[in-house]
Amino acid sequence: KIDADKDSEVMQCIKELLQEQVRPMLQNDGGDMRLVNWNEVTGVLSLELLGACKSCPSSKNTLKEGVERLLQHFLPEVKDVREVKNSSLTASRS
């Protein structure tokens, strides 16, 4: 796990929004997600969908219309949210 003291302010906000807003919504539907990467240069956030979300036909809508819209509302630095499938990476920054 990345040391929170070393995270940028944007990364700290992303983690908080994901933990407080996004994950509970996904968990209510039997799914979850994991932060894979945040690229501060490109503004791309990579997430891995887990559980029921992994195979849900609406997962693209969940990412774009739900997660991306929410994050962009609070953090204009987030330009794109992308799904990473079957990632074995730990959360990291580029």
Side-chain angles (χ1 to χ4, degrees), residues 49-66:
L49 296 175
L50 305 168
C53 292
K54 196 174 193 173
S55 59
C56 177
S58 299
S59 63
K60 287 260 190 252
N61 288 339
T62 298
L63 277 180
K64 292 297 178 184
E65 299 299 322

Side-chain angles (χ1 to χ4, degrees), residues 31-74:
D32 205 348
M33 49 104 339
R34 186 172 65 82
L35 173 63
V36 175
N37 188 57
W38 163 242
N39 186 314
E40 293 197 26
V41 176
T42 63
V44 174
L45 179 67
S46 300
L47 301 173
E48 180 179 17
L49 296 175
L50 305 168
C53 292
K54 196 174 193 173
S55 59
C56 177
S58 299
S59 63
K60 287 260 190 252
N61 288 339
T62 298
L63 277 180
K64 292 297 178 184
E65 299 299 322
V67 179
E68 184 176 273
R69 184 179 287 177
L70 173 80
L71 291 172
Q72 288 175 342
H73 175 76
F74 292 103

